[in-house]
Amino acid sequence: MKISRSTARCFSGLLLVLTLPFEVTAAEAPAALPQPPAQYSYDRALPLDGGQNFRDLGGYPTEDHRHVRWGLLFRSGSLHGFTPADFAYLKMLGLQMEVDFRSTQERAAEPTDWPTGQAPRILADDYDFAILGRHMTNLQDMTPDEVQAKMVEMYPVILDQFNGQYRRLFDQLLAGNAPLVFHCSAGRDRTGIAAALVLTALGVPRETVIQDYLLTNRYFQLAQVGPAAQTWGKIPPAMAKVMVSSARPSIEAVFKVIDGYPGGAKAYLRDRLGLDQLKIARLRALYTE
């Protein structure tokens, strides 16, 4: 898959306590919010009328007794539904980069109409949504448990298929291009794996990473998914519930791959995502405090 900057406006947790000397200059470090300011009035999900699962990854504790910095790392579903008030609110965040994991078809169907002068830089790949859909066929003939098993099978596939996009997400983070939002359509599968990778690299404990993934069950809004919602509306309710829920076995399937990699999580991050100790140290210097 090749990188394209869309002109359509459009993932053991790693138990590393690095002692490498590594400093980031004031000029390099993105300006972060020390905590969710009162004027933002959010716990984790931002109060956006047209937002879909738009959440701040700040505040999570790390294994080395630090915390992820607020106001720099955001995960989300589609940005298509933003209202003028939402755009005005988002202007406060000063977003520098949007990493869009959606397919070519998804981006065309639901572009983000950023106001003039407010659009961040956008990083997206062109690919056919069918590469995801082919893993979830004949749902009408399955039980809910079988559908869940399919979801568990699909997550390691996403981890592998989106490796290039996840590497480029880390490239942006290492370059200090933040505040940054990464997203797909629902903010659950592709985005959930990306968030698990980012939080793991920052040293957030495994259980905390899993709990962040499960928060989609609280914040996901089916009515705002767009074309995908039409597909889910054609399958039995019990199966649709599985399709739109974040289940622990799904994200655990991703960690099974990471833990099973020769050398474990540290080696996985190094070999599959290009994150050696110096880069891990830089990420932590930039995005934890």
Side-chain angles (χ1 to χ4, degrees):
M1 295 185 289
K2 67 177 183 178
I3 303 175
S4 66
R5 291 183 182 173
S6 173
T7 59
R9 313 211 255 268
C10 40
F11 151 5
S12 201
L14 177 60
L15 303 180
L16 281 176
V17 179
L18 293 173
T19 57
L20 295 172
F22 197 97
E23 294 183 356
V24 174
T25 67
E28 289 180 300
L33 309 172
Q35 58 185 11
Q39 68 265 32
Y40 284 1
S41 302
Y42 64 77
D43 175 17
R44 187 152 300 284
L46 278 66
L48 301 168
D49 294 333
Q52 172 63 280
N53 204 7
F54 196 113
R55 315 201 311 253
D56 194 327
L57 292 178
Y60 287 131
T62 65
E63 293 285 349
D64 55 352
H65 309 293
R66 294 164 69 86
H67 289 81
V68 178
R69 300 171 74 191
W70 288 100
L72 291 179
L73 304 175
F74 299 93
R75 54 171 294 174
S76 182
S78 174
L79 312 184
H80 173 69
F82 287 158
T83 66
D86 291 337
F87 283 120
Y89 183 93
L90 288 169
K91 190 173 184 178
M92 294 189 301
L93 301 180
L95 287 175
Q96 299 298 308
M97 176 64 63
E98 173 191 344
V99 179
D100 190 342
F101 298 132
R102 296 179 303 165
S103 66
T104 306
Q105 297 95 323
E106 290 170 289
R107 299 198 316 271
E110 294 190 336
T112 305
D113 191 17
W114 289 99
T116 301
Q118 191 178 332
R121 292 175 54 205
I122 299 168
L123 186 66
D125 279 16
D126 290 325
Y127 69 93
D128 194 321
F129 184 75
I131 70 168
L132 293 174
R134 70 188 182 200
H135 302 292
M136 302 297 291
T137 58
N138 301 319
L139 295 178
Q140 68 278 6
D141 300 323
M142 298 182 188
T143 67
D145 287 345
E146 289 171 333
V147 173
Q148 180 58 61
K150 278 285 187 182
M151 295 295 296
V152 172
E153 291 175 8
M154 186 174 73
Y155 265 55
V157 175
I158 295 175
L159 177 66
D160 181 63
Q161 286 184 331
F162 284 80
N163 175 263
Q165 293 196 51
Y166 295 150
R167 290 180 71 107
R168 289 188 285 279
L169 166 62
F170 279 109
D171 287 344
Q172 297 304 317
L173 294 177
L174 286 164
N177 293 329
L180 175 151
V181 58
F182 55 92
H183 72 98
C184 52
S185 286
R188 181 189 65 164
D189 304 324
R190 292 161 288 184
T191 296
I193 294 171
L197 290 170
V198 169
L199 293 175
T200 295
L202 295 179
V204 175
R206 168 73 56 85
E207 184 58 30
T208 303
V209 177
I210 292 174
Q211 290 303 315
D212 175 78
Y213 170 78
L214 295 176
L215 279 177
T216 287
N217 292 327
R218 180 188 304 176
Y219 297 118
F220 173 77
Q221 300 178 67
L222 178 58
Q224 295 184 19
V225 175
Q230 299 174 16
T231 299
W232 287 330
K234 298 175 183 178
I235 64 178
M239 296 179 192
K241 182 178 180 180
V242 173
M243 290 292 295
V244 301
S245 298
S246 291
R248 188 183 186 102
S250 296
I251 198 65
E252 286 181 336
V254 166
F255 282 119
K256 184 176 180 179
V257 172
I258 293 174
D259 293 343
Y261 189 84
K266 178 179 178 180
Y268 184 93
L269 292 174
R270 181 193 64 224
D271 298 345
R272 296 290 287 139
L273 294 168
L275 301 175
D276 58 21
Q277 286 191 332
L278 286 174
K279 289 181 178 179
I280 291 289
R282 177 173 174 80
L283 286 171
R284 295 182 181 187
L286 285 169
Y287 301 108
T288 70
E289 60 186 2

